[in-house]
């Protein structure tokens, strides 16, 4: 198994570190355009190998795509992160150019990889990657819902003061502060609806905190977060390479599912060795479907910028 992570910044390096520690790959390549950073970070990571007890071949590369040849999975994190006060959408101009060139370079050396997009605005970058790559739709996956769901579970566990490992919760729709949809109706505490433990006002506050979860961290850190985004990327890769058949919220190409087409948007999917294998139907209520349609409209507006 060969995995490449493009972008050795905060998110890419954290994702690569998690992939190495979980021993998901025989060979892990970290590539960045900035001279020396990927080589430095992989060397630093390799110096933790004897401490953590992992044994993965780590390769750092300054923009030499031949090192990524025959990758099974490629995670793309290259691009600008947002600063306090910025929306993810404001990154589109610069990051579209970066993501397009990275996908083209990757495909010169790897014929049929599964591509995981993390760069923002992620829904639009996934749509772009799908059209540039021309691969089977199941092999293009955007990571946003996995992170947003982890944040939803974090805020639920805090509000209920219970173990986060007993909490299930999913966020679907777009990966934007106003476009994501925390699925309050389906959130459970060990199978029991959380609405039995939280009043409506508190649950609404949890959902609202989840939606601005990234912005809250950007305000505190001065740039966007990396531990949870990197871990979410690695968890998604793990579900693929270990063929786990886990259900995770991922941004995938919709062709009529959830009432939408010609768009990549977050929905629950089964993940396995072929990428996303099946879309799970949550059977949305009228209100949830209206929110999903609104989210799709916002993402579609953003996608239209790509054509200009
Ligand atoms: P960062 O600035 O720490 O790292 C980005 C890296 O990309 C830099 O090292 C830069 O040199 C590299 N890069 C830029 N252009 C490149 C190119 N053409 N080829 C190769 N490498 C290139 O940023 P950070 O915090 O790691 O965030 C990366 C991206 O991930 C941002 O767009 C951010 O908004 C996004 N993000 C997405 C999340 C999600 O849930 N989908 C969560 C958090 C961040």
């Amino acid at each position: 198994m060969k995995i490449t992570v493009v972008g050795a910044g905060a998110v890419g390096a954290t994702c690569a570190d998690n992939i190495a520690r979980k021993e998901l790959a025989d060979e892990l390549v970290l590539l960045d355009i900035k001279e020396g950073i990927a080589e430095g970070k992989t060397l630093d990571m390799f110096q933790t190998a004897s401490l953590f007890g992992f044994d993965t071949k780590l390769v750092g590369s300054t923009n030499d795509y031949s090192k990524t040849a025959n990758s099974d999975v490629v995670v793309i994190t290259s691009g600008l992160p947002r600063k306090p006060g910025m929306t993810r959408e404001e990154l589109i101009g610069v990051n579209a150019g970066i993501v397009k060139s990275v996908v083209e370079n990757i495909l010169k050396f790897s014929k049929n990889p599964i591509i995981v997009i993390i760069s923002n605005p992620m829904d639009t970058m996934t749509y772009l990657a799908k059209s540039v790559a021309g691969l089977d739709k199941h092999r293009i996956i955007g990571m946003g819902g996995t992170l947003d769901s982890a944040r939803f579970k974090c805020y639920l566990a805090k509000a209920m003061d219970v173990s986060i490992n007993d909490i299930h919760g999913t966020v679907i729709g777009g990966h934007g502060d106003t476009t994501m949809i925390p699925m309050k109706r389906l959130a459970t505490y060990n199978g029991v609806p959380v609405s039995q433990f939280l009043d409506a006002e508190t649950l609404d506050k949890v959902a609202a905190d989840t939606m601005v979860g990234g912005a809250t961290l950007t305000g505190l850190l001065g740039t966007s977060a990396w531990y949870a985004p990197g871990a979410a990327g690695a968890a998604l890769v793990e579900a693929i390479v270990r063929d786990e058949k886990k259900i995770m919220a991922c941004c995938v190409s919709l062709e009529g599912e959830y009432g939408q087409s010609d768009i990549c948007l977050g929905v629950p999917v089964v993940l396995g060795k072929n990428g996303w294998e099946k879309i799970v139907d949550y059977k949305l209520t009228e209100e949830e479907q209206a929110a999903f349609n609104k989210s799709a409209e916002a993402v579609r507006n953003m996608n239209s910028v790509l054509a200009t």
Side-chain angles (χ1 to χ4, degrees), residues 6-12 31-34 37 63 65 77-82 91 95 98 101-102 118-120 122 143-144 147 175 224-225 229:
V6 181
V11 175
L31 180 146
D32 201 285
I33 202 167
K34 209 188 287 171
I37 184 175
N63 233 27
Y65 280 83
T77 76
S78 45
L80 297 184
R82 58 182 172 157
L91 302 168
N95 286 358
I98 292 174
S101 77
V102 168
I118 297 188
S119 311
N120 271 321
M122 182 279 297
M143 194 297 290
L147 170 65
H175 177 59
S224 64

Side-chain angles (χ1 to χ4, degrees), residues 2 4 6 29 31-33 61-70 78 98 101-110:
K2 179 166 175 176
T4 289
V6 181
V29 180
L31 180 146
D32 201 285
I33 202 167
S61 163
T62 302
N63 233 27
D64 176 0
Y65 280 83
S66 68
K67 299 254 173 65
T68 71
N70 302 316
S78 45
I98 292 174
S101 77
V102 168
V103 170
E104 286 167 348
N105 282 321
I106 283 293
L107 292 176
K108 285 180 195 158
F109 295 93
S110 301

Side-chain angles (χ1 to χ4, degrees), residues 14 59 72 88 115 156 160 206 232 288:
T14 309
V59 177
D72 300 289
R88 295 175 179 91
I115 299 181
L156 282 168
M160 294 167 66
V206 164
E288 290 161 354

